[in-house]
Amino acid sequence: MIKANSKPLGEVFGFIENCKKVLVLGCGGCATVCQVGGEKEVGVLAQALRLKAGTEGKQIEFLENTVTRQCEPEFVDPVVEGLGDVEAIVSTACGVGVNHLVERGCPVPVFPGVDTVFMGSTLEHGEWAERCAACGQCVLHLTGGICPIARCAKNLLNGPCGGTTEDGMCEISTPENPVPCAWAEIVERMKQLGTLQELGEIQPPKDWSTARDGGPRRRVRADLKLDRQEQKVQS
Amino acid sequence: MAETTPEKTDGVEPETHAPCRVACPVRTDTRGYVDLIARGRYREAFEKIRQANPFPSVCALICHHPCEVECRRQDVDDPVALRHLKRFAVEQAREYRERARHAAEITHSETIGVVGSGPAGLTVAHDCINEGYAVTVYESLPRAGGLLSCSIPKYRLPEEALTPDLEDILALGVEIRTGVTVGEDVTLQELQEKHEAVVLAVGLSESRDLPLENHDHPDVLMALPFLCSVALGRPPQVRDEVIVIGGGNVAVDVARTCVRLGAGTVRMICLENEEEMPAWEWESREALEEGIEIIHRRGPTKVLIEEGRIVGVTVREVERVFDEKGRFAPTYHDDRLSTVAGQMIIVAIGQRANLDLLGGTPVRLAREGMLQFDAETMTTSEGGIFACGEVVTGPGSAIEAVASGHRAARAVLGYLRTGRAPVVEEEKLEAVEELPRNIIEKVKSIPLVAMPTLSPEERKRSFVQFELGYGEKDALAEARRCLSCAVGAVVDEDRCAACLTCARICPFEVPVVDEVARMVSETCQSCGLCVAECPASCITIKRFQDVGEIADRIVALLQDAGTEVTRVEIVCSRDAETKEKLQDRIVKADGEVLARVPVTCAALAGEVDMMKPFELGVKAVLVRRCRECLYNGASKRLAKRVGRTKEILDAAGVGGERLTLE
Amino acid sequence: MKSGSNLEKVLQAGHFALTAELGPPMGPSDEEIKQKMEILRGNADAFNITDCQTAVVRLSSIAAAIMLVQGGMEPVMQMTTRDRNRIAIQADILGAAAFGIKNCLCIAGDHQKFSAAGKLKGHPGAKNVYDVDSIQLVGILKKMRDEGLMEGGDPLDVAPRLFIGAAWTPMAHPLEFRVTRLAKKVAAGADFIQTQGIYDVERFAEIMVEVRNLGLHEKTAILGGVIVPKSAGMLRYMDSSVAGVSVPKALIKRMSAAGEAAGKDKKQARRNQSKEGIKIAVELIEQLRETEGVRGVHLQAIEWERAIPRIVEPAGLLPRPHV
């Protein structure tokens, strides 16, 4: 799922310091799971902002709410419609949530409470790692199920650069931030699978047009989506 | 227990209960009152006890405590000393109890007559008057209480323990007419005419005789009359060597009474071996401690008399006590005889009812000494005449008599409202499963707090209650041993994100997460660590339902303080030795005004709890852990949480150094 | 002849080739480049111009390479895939070719994080490109040269003449893949290979057996890398911290001993170690020369270009052949 970090308190406070009433809006999806923006963290951020407002001599009221998922119209529309005299929203969802609130016609500014960092998995409680870069053309069948796009610092597609350390770490790895070499892992994995020889094949330059490089992406399932005409008929 | 699968309805697991409660004949919320004691709320603990049982004071001393037998703590070390804790709660509530006495309001014209003022009869009276019916109790003895007042020796149940229970019931407005023997002073028919319902709770008031050769000697006594005369202050002269025949609780009572009356040697003769002996294990152990000899597997045949005085009893060896089907059917080796010396014999081989009052009434007997009785409706063969207590259940303990009384009361009340005795079903409760092995290993052992007692030498000399009772410190320590069965974590499934946090941080590996987290009630220890960590804030602990959020408690305390509070302390209550330390309170010390909020585990304190006080102008917050946490990892997680909160406080301009962890 | 470069000619003529490294300055200083050129002139067949090595901003490798061409020396222009996408890379290659640059070494380049690893602030926050990897870059150049096509398939007016090089780290983890990786580079079109600095020639020789078994040494020209050691500390650092480089303990000891011989005189100790380093470099060159399948050496004296003439002379590599 999507992972994020809390933004520094001072930064978030700076967004809303001139407001009188602010809604801290959490998300019950990924942001909850990665411990950054669920009901609990909404409470923590709201409380921290209250303290900050106090020390800054500002009178700001902070409301708290958490919706099931901020990326769905049905979940955010009631919030957007019921803002009353709320002057700004601080969203603790991933960046999708902020965009989506604006897209759904939120009449007041929406500020990010978190920095969205990556799509990844949980290594253990309190540690997550990037595992997919959403490049739009999966190569995992070529690389033993280990993604060189998401996990190699150089997106290499033809094997490890010369920077792999003896213990299989990437050249950018540091003791504070250990980064395993994805290619060392790929080689190890494919050796186990008995498919190492497949790596001998040269992978041509990748078509990045399906990734972010191709521009903002949209996904349409024609079999699920009714076009305007059909929608009219249905209603 | 493990073989029964709990019934499932709509995918929701049936509510389970602590096994102590399920084991109690009156379903006392044992865990509930122990928890209230642990939180210093003694009066509420007492009220919880009395809710199920109008004889809290009596049971605190003499209950055979089946609750302890089922206590899941015994798999870890020893069961929680529930009866001792009950006694503590009762003692703490003494004055409150006197102040709180009040008469019940009589709202019905129908009245109820109860024959017998033992625990069963008085329970009926108590329950019925509380429903607005006037009750008259007829007691043939000169004082109320039945066997509680005249057969249980004072060293086990002193008068001052029985009195408050009786006073409570009398205060409700129950009329107890002592010295009135139904069948002699008034007839059953007269009672029937006077009352719309009559309850026979006459108990088993007579001792069974043993027709031995020479048993008519004046120094051959019957147990109940003997105990009764001691209780009424007219103890018979005991001889130097006394032989007590029987191995039940009454026999032990008799033997120990004889020791206290000055007998030099007391010997009990019983058919059974140590394990089979019907007396409670602790009763016979205490008897042995007091120097009483117990001669097992012997049956008396003859009282030996020389020169008109008893010199002993001839006994034969027992071949077996029970037949293949486990029924009482003793056989003997008639050729293996021996003599037990003694100058006085007291027969304590069982009790029976005196049903003389039924003479000439239509109430039918089933077999000798037993009523014809419908246990489902608690009625005799005669409509409007009910029965309860030992006269229908056979010999049992006080709490069983109370349970029987509750059922009879329900039957009577139903009968008075509808004209027909309803079927009164026993309250069925599902006990939580046994503690699994892996949990037993994870639960930290805490030694049982021993009940201070008089030494056997001291107690032999008097009828003084030999258990001295827990002090407050003892009671709190013992109450905290409770595992809080079946009141653990509950997940709001609608909000659960299945993030696995609870499963990963639980010291007991309780949660199972598939679509959502599910808390396995038999393993949860109600520590609450998951509540503090859940990112969806979707877990609650049943045990803490009435406690409230820590932050809210702090706010309330500061609002009530009436003065500026300088410091808030969130304190683990596990080291508390007085109830004052268990209450949210304002403390003034060294020029500081502290607001102290005790919690069952400091790791329950969340970031918001630690930050809230600063919003309210408090200068410092202290979180204090106990000396040795019961929950693996809780202390470390708390330290990390405090560290994070300090960073937030720094960022907020409050200053992280104002938050400290001890 | 693919490119007609001097390096290509030297190799084709069967000479033991020699390249040396020239690092561009951190400023628009043609003087510094010219000074280095004069130090190096005549001491190698071609001169490697690094492309923002360790991701530190320096005068561009293309510009420096043009200066060499204009000064009558032959550059090997390094090209990383870190900073340019395939459009910029091809445009730069065409431009370089127009200026007479004939050798191009295709590498992925150090990650931008390294720019801040030393004393410099660098640009660790830069966005890296890595549109293509080094093997793909080799393929792109080959396609431009041999098919006259751009990577996307459009025809070039004129195909650039290039001698295409690639780097190889024979002794980095995962070892079992390193020869395959070389094979891929060769298959992609690498005309010559410049290896990572080698100190443990014995181990390298073992790997070369495998290389020869696959015949790779015949399909490409492998130039053994020699990094001139400056001090025992540098050797220790290379051994512990540079991936794919292992320095035998004996070498480190030797270097330490040279320093210690100077007693407390630190200056002398440095001089002793420099001298010893040059000696070691000479020996390494000789050992590599004896390794079957090695067709030349690539000499790196990092920020110490003056050492080059002092090595190639005693190594018996002078004068360089005219072909």
Side-chain angles (χ1 to χ4, degrees):
Chain A
M1 286 174 120
I2 294 169
K3 308 298 167 193
N5 289 325
S6 295
K7 264 193 179 299
L9 183 63
E11 190 185 342
V12 177
F13 185 75
F15 301 152
I16 49 82
E17 59 185 337
N18 295 319
C19 299
K20 290 274 164 283
K21 196 173 194 177
V22 174
L23 169 65
V24 180
L25 185 64
C27 176
C30 306
T32 296
V33 174
C34 76
Q35 320 260 347
V36 79
E39 193 169 320
K40 180 190 169 187
E41 290 303 319
V42 163
V44 172
L45 176 57
Q47 186 58 50
L49 287 169
R50 280 181 204 116
L51 291 181
K52 180 79 176 160
T55 57
E56 300 282 331
K58 305 260 182 172
Q59 289 281 334
I60 309 174
E61 186 187 350
F62 292 95
L63 308 180
E64 301 172 25
N65 189 11
T66 299
V67 298
T68 306
R69 283 198 305 279
Q70 284 191 24
C71 51
E72 307 292 353
E74 290 85 344
F75 292 139
V76 302
D77 286 357
V79 175
V80 168
E81 283 153 20
L83 284 173
D85 54 352
V86 165
E87 292 173 22
I89 295 178
V90 172
S91 164
T92 59
C94 67
V96 176
V98 178
N99 277 275
H100 193 237
L101 281 161
V102 172
E103 199 167 0
R104 297 306 298 177
C106 182
V108 300
V110 187
F111 298 109
V114 306
D115 294 315
T116 309
V117 287
F118 55 77
M119 278 180 283
S121 61
T122 306
L123 301 185
E124 60 180 282
H125 190 56
E127 186 176 1
W128 300 269
E130 183 168 19
R131 291 295 178 254
C132 176
C135 71
Q137 275 189 64
C138 197
V139 296
L140 286 166
H141 57 296
L142 301 171
T143 54
I146 295 165
C147 182
I149 307 299
R151 297 167 70 175
C152 167
K154 302 178 182 174
N155 299 342
L156 303 183
L157 281 163
N158 280 294
C161 69
T164 318
T165 63
E166 246 170 82
D167 47 353
M169 303 302 279
C170 174
E171 62 181 24
I172 65 162
S173 190
T174 56
E176 303 78 50
N177 183 26
V179 182
C181 169
W183 274 104
E185 293 183 359
I186 291 168
V187 167
E188 186 55 38
R189 173 74 177 160
M190 293 184 74
K191 204 165 78 184
Q192 267 175 20
L193 297 173
T195 55
L196 188 59
Q197 76 288 348
E198 289 175 13
L199 284 185
E201 217 166 284
I202 293 176
Q203 294 306 321
K206 185 175 167 67
D207 175 1
W208 294 100
S209 66
T210 55
R212 256 295 302 153
D213 309 74
R217 293 164 280 180
R218 187 183 291 271
R219 176 175 180 249
V220 178
R221 270 272 303 261
D223 58 327
L224 300 180
K225 189 183 170 185
L226 301 181
D227 62 27
R228 290 238 168 84
Q229 209 66 39
E230 289 165 327
Q231 282 178 16
K232 269 186 203 154
V233 173
Q234 195 188 37
S235 63
Chain B
M1 197 154 68
E3 282 166 18
T4 58
T5 333
E7 282 175 44
K8 301 216 173 185
T9 47
D10 304 331
V12 179
E13 282 188 40
E15 196 184 3
T16 56
H17 299 269
C20 50
R21 179 176 195 176
V22 178
C24 178
V26 298
R27 310 284 185 254
T28 303
D29 184 1
T30 317
R31 185 215 53 76
Y33 77 70
V34 171
D35 196 29
L36 286 166
I37 292 172
R39 290 195 226 152
R41 289 154 63 173
Y42 309 142
R43 188 185 296 174
E44 289 163 80
F46 169 75
E47 282 297 3
K48 203 171 261 298
I49 294 166
R50 188 161 64 172
Q51 218 169 30
N53 179 4
F55 287 91
S57 187
V58 165
C59 286
L61 294 180
I62 61 152
C63 191
H64 69 301
H65 49 72
C67 47
E68 292 183 26
V69 176
E70 294 300 326
C71 174
R72 300 202 305 167
R73 175 122 218 151
Q74 67 192 304
D75 292 334
V76 178
D77 36 46
D78 293 302
V80 177
L82 299 166
R83 183 171 66 80
H84 297 340
L85 287 171
K86 174 181 286 177
R87 175 172 167 184
F88 174 77
V90 168
E91 285 174 352
Q92 292 297 313
R94 197 175 289 149
E95 283 172 28
Y96 155 74
R97 196 174 176 183
E98 281 169 20
R99 277 201 313 277
R101 279 188 190 126
H102 63 278
E105 194 188 340
I106 304 300
T107 51
H108 298 277
S109 56
E110 295 95 337
T111 66
I112 297 153
V114 176
V115 187
S117 69
L122 289 185
T123 298
V124 174
H126 167 270
D127 290 3
C128 291
I129 200 164
N130 273 331
E131 291 295 318
Y133 293 92
V135 184
T136 307
V137 180
Y138 303 88
E139 171 59 58
S140 59
L141 287 170
R143 64 168 77 161
L147 96 172
L148 298 176
S149 69
C150 69
S151 101
I152 294 181
K154 298 285 173 267
Y155 63 89
R156 282 180 60 208
L157 183 65
E159 194 124 5
E160 59 268 28
L162 174 60
T163 308
D165 290 352
L166 293 178
E167 293 283 327
D168 276 3
I169 293 165
L170 283 169
L172 290 171
V174 172
E175 186 193 356
I176 305 182
R177 297 177 60 187
T178 52
V180 176
T181 306
V182 179
E184 289 177 15
D185 303 320
V186 59
T187 65
L188 187 57
Q189 285 89 336
E190 283 168 327
L191 293 190
Q192 269 183 288
E193 284 156 20
K194 191 171 176 201
H195 303 292
E196 278 70 19
V198 174
V199 181
L200 304 179
V202 297
L204 303 174
S205 59
E206 293 190 348
S207 282
R208 285 182 196 280
D209 196 3
L210 190 62
L212 299 174
E213 197 177 319
N214 299 329
H215 79 285
D216 48 0
H217 189 281
D219 279 342
V220 176
L221 305 181
M222 290 292 126
L224 289 183
F226 167 77
L227 289 172
C228 197
S229 59
V230 175
L232 297 176
R234 299 189 299 269
Q237 183 73 39
V238 293
R239 309 288 175 202
D240 185 43
E241 291 176 300
V242 180
I243 296 170
V244 179
I245 297 172
N249 290 313
V250 173
V252 177
D253 284 347
V254 168
R256 295 176 71 184
T257 297
C258 290
V259 167
R260 283 161 178 77
L261 290 175
T265 306
V266 178
R267 301 186 174 96
M268 291 174 65
I269 301 172
C270 72
L271 300 177
E272 303 88 352
N273 65 21
E274 274 172 63
E275 283 79 45
E276 295 162 340
M277 190 174 160
W280 302 119
E281 174 272 326
W282 59 89
E283 293 273 354
S284 48
R285 189 183 61 234
E286 286 160 7
L288 290 170
E289 283 169 5
E290 291 167 12
I292 291 161
E293 290 174 33
I294 303 179
I295 301 165
H296 293 285
R297 295 189 67 78
R298 295 289 185 280
T301 56
K302 182 182 176 186
V303 177
L304 297 171
I305 297 178
E306 280 175 17
E307 295 171 14
R309 293 174 63 181
I310 295 174
V311 292
V313 172
T314 304
V315 294
R316 54 186 168 168
E317 215 170 288
V318 170
E319 186 180 46
R320 63 165 201 209
V321 184
F322 304 98
D323 66 10
E324 294 80 4
K325 289 178 180 162
R327 289 175 302 206
F328 183 77
T331 58
Y332 303 91
H333 297 288
D334 287 332
D335 51 341
R336 300 185 193 167
L337 300 175
S338 54
T339 302
V340 177
Q343 294 88 47
M344 187 176 204
I345 293 164
I346 305 176
V347 179
I349 59 159
Q351 294 83 249
R352 63 173 183 204
N354 179 342
L355 295 173
D356 292 351
L357 79 164
L358 300 179
T361 73
V363 179
R364 286 197 291 271
L365 296 182
R367 53 194 156 91
E368 196 202 343
M370 296 297 277
L371 278 171
Q372 188 178 324
F373 177 68
D374 175 14
E376 284 192 326
T377 57
M378 303 299 282
T379 49
T380 63
S381 60
E382 178 71 2
I385 300 187
F386 298 81
C388 64
E390 284 186 317
V391 69
V392 293
T393 63
S397 72
I399 195 64
E400 285 162 341
V402 171
S404 179
H406 280 318
R407 293 189 66 207
R410 282 163 58 207
V412 168
L413 292 168
Y415 169 77
L416 291 179
R417 282 176 197 133
T418 66
R420 276 188 60 205
V423 171
V424 282
E425 278 164 16
E426 232 178 298
E427 193 186 359
K428 288 266 189 300
L429 293 179
E430 191 74 51
V432 69
E433 297 275 315
E434 281 174 30
L435 267 188
R437 172 82 12 220
N438 64 320
I439 302 298
I440 293 170
E441 285 160 8
K442 288 189 176 74
V443 175
K444 288 194 182 156
S445 178
I446 309 170
L448 175 84
V449 178
M451 166 59 80
T453 52
L454 291 176
S455 73
E457 281 313 310
E458 287 171 298
R459 68 197 195 217
K460 272 160 71 175
R461 288 197 290 270
S462 76
F463 281 86
V464 171
Q465 226 278 321
F466 74 100
E467 289 177 339
L468 301 175
Y470 276 152
E472 185 172 25
K473 179 183 163 187
D474 295 338
L476 288 174
E478 184 60 19
R480 284 194 283 259
R481 294 181 68 241
C482 176
L483 297 180
S484 302
C485 301
V487 281
V490 185
V491 175
D492 177 353
E493 297 185 359
D494 291 341
R495 288 186 294 146
C496 176
C499 72
L500 291 149
T501 300
C502 52
R504 289 174 184 147
I505 58 115
C506 175
F508 303 97
E509 296 170 26
V510 170
V512 176
V513 182
D514 27 60
E515 284 93 6
V516 289
R518 190 166 56 79
M519 301 298 179
V520 182
S521 59
E522 64 258 32
T523 56
C524 182
Q525 301 298 304
S526 319
C527 69
L529 193 54
C530 55
V531 177
E533 297 277 336
C534 173
S537 301
C538 73
I539 307 175
T540 47
I541 301 281
K542 275 193 236 167
R543 174 186 172 194
F544 301 142
Q545 259 162 6
D546 60 335
V547 181
E549 306 271 335
I550 296 172
D552 296 343
R553 287 165 60 191
I554 292 171
V555 172
L557 193 53
L558 294 181
Q559 277 168 354
D560 294 348
T563 173
E564 198 177 324
V565 172
T566 46
R567 187 145 63 118
V568 165
E569 297 188 345
I570 302 170
V571 189
C572 175
S573 61
R574 217 165 81 74
D575 296 331
E577 295 180 351
T578 61
K579 75 173 178 194
E580 284 70 33
K581 293 202 166 159
L582 290 160
Q583 287 159 355
D584 296 357
R585 64 191 181 126
I586 301 293
V587 186
K588 287 176 188 156
D590 302 332
E592 267 203 295
V593 183
L594 312 179
R596 207 168 267 159
V597 178
V599 288
T600 52
C601 175
L604 290 171
E607 291 90 334
V608 172
D609 301 322
M610 297 185 247
M611 284 194 272
K612 196 78 192 176
F614 295 109
E615 188 192 338
L616 305 170
V618 171
K619 298 279 178 291
V621 172
L622 170 75
V623 180
R624 189 182 294 135
R625 292 173 280 197
C626 60
R627 284 187 291 265
E628 192 196 354
C629 187
L630 294 180
Y631 311 118
N632 270 333
S635 180
K636 274 187 198 135
R637 294 207 179 271
L638 174 62
K640 296 246 180 186
R641 212 182 298 143
V642 168
R644 180 199 181 198
T645 309
K646 279 168 165 288
E647 283 173 18
I648 297 175
L649 290 172
D650 276 335
V654 172
E657 73 285 350
R658 293 190 184 192
L659 171 64
T660 46
L661 175 67
E662 260 182 34
Chain C
M1 203 54 69
K2 291 168 175 167
S3 68
S5 78
N6 186 51
L7 179 61
E8 186 182 6
K9 285 184 203 160
V10 167
L11 285 165
Q12 207 170 50
H15 297 292
F16 189 72
L18 174 63
T19 59
E21 196 155 294
L22 190 157
M26 289 172 69
S29 166
D30 58 339
E31 271 314 302
E32 199 177 328
I33 296 178
K34 281 176 182 160
Q35 275 170 22
K36 286 187 177 182
M37 280 166 63
E38 292 323 308
I39 294 166
L40 295 174
R41 189 183 293 274
N43 284 301
D45 306 315
F47 302 89
N48 254 268
I49 314 296
T50 49
D51 181 9
C52 297
Q53 198 169 11
T54 65
V56 170
V57 174
R58 290 171 182 274
L59 189 144
S60 76
S61 66
I62 300 174
I66 290 170
M67 285 179 68
L68 258 75
V69 171
Q70 289 173 345
M73 286 168 74
E74 177 163 294
V76 174
M77 182 182 75
Q78 293 195 0
M79 171 80 72
T80 70
T81 65
R82 176 190 59 224
D83 309 326
R84 307 165 183 81
N85 66 7
R86 65 191 84 177
I87 299 169
I89 286 172
Q90 293 179 94
D92 282 351
I93 289 291
L94 294 180
F99 274 96
I101 294 164
K102 295 176 178 140
N103 306 309
C104 180
L105 185 83
C106 305
I107 52 178
D110 297 315
H111 193 272
Q112 66 272 18
K113 196 173 177 187
F114 284 91
S115 61
K119 288 174 188 158
L120 300 172
K121 291 189 188 70
H123 298 86
K127 182 174 182 184
N128 65 25
V129 181
Y130 292 119
D131 174 19
V132 294
D133 64 25
S134 59
I135 291 175
Q136 290 163 347
L137 177 56
V138 168
I140 289 170
L141 298 198
K142 183 175 159 68
K143 187 171 174 181
M144 290 172 84
R145 181 190 71 195
D146 297 350
E147 298 173 47
L149 294 175
M150 296 182 205
E151 191 277 327
D154 294 329
L156 293 160
D157 297 341
V158 179
R161 298 188 67 200
L162 294 168
F163 196 50
I164 306 166
W168 179 42
T169 309
M171 285 180 265
H173 184 87
L175 276 176
E176 62 266 64
F177 194 68
R178 291 296 161 183
V179 174
T180 308
R181 183 117 166 119
L182 174 64
K184 286 180 84 165
K185 292 193 170 182
V186 172
D191 302 311
F192 70 99
I193 294 291
Q194 185 181 300
T195 76
Q196 172 63 287
I198 291 158
Y199 291 102
D200 193 342
V201 184
E202 227 170 280
R203 267 185 71 201
F204 174 65
E206 284 166 26
I207 297 167
M208 281 304 291
V209 174
E210 214 180 314
V211 170
R212 289 197 300 276
N213 288 343
L214 294 170
L216 296 175
H217 64 305
E218 282 160 359
K219 294 179 189 155
T220 193
I222 296 171
L223 311 183
V226 173
I227 301 172
V228 187
K230 230 175 188 173
S231 64
M234 172 194 174
L235 281 180
R236 257 182 245 118
Y237 172 79
M238 302 267 301
D239 185 51
S240 64
S241 304
V242 178
V245 175
S246 77
V247 183
K249 287 215 170 60
L251 273 192
I252 299 174
K253 249 192 197 160
R254 210 173 121 184
M255 207 57 159
S256 307
E260 282 155 17
K264 283 182 180 169
D265 186 344
K266 281 186 182 167
K267 248 187 187 167
Q268 187 59 40
R270 267 203 298 280
R271 275 199 293 275
N272 286 359
Q273 294 202 27
S274 301
K275 239 189 207 165
E276 196 65 28
I278 285 168
K279 239 160 110 186
I280 289 171
V282 171
E283 289 167 26
L284 288 171
I285 291 171
E286 283 165 355
Q287 287 164 14
L288 285 169
R289 199 169 183 170
E290 281 159 25
T291 308
E292 199 186 337
V294 175
R295 290 164 62 185
V297 289
H298 169 61
L299 202 50
Q300 290 166 266
I302 299 158
E303 291 296 313
W304 191 27
E305 280 84 356
R306 278 176 297 105
I308 303 283
R310 292 165 60 194
I311 294 165
V312 294
E313 228 277 81
L317 293 173
L318 290 182
R320 296 312 304 153
H322 287 280
V323 285

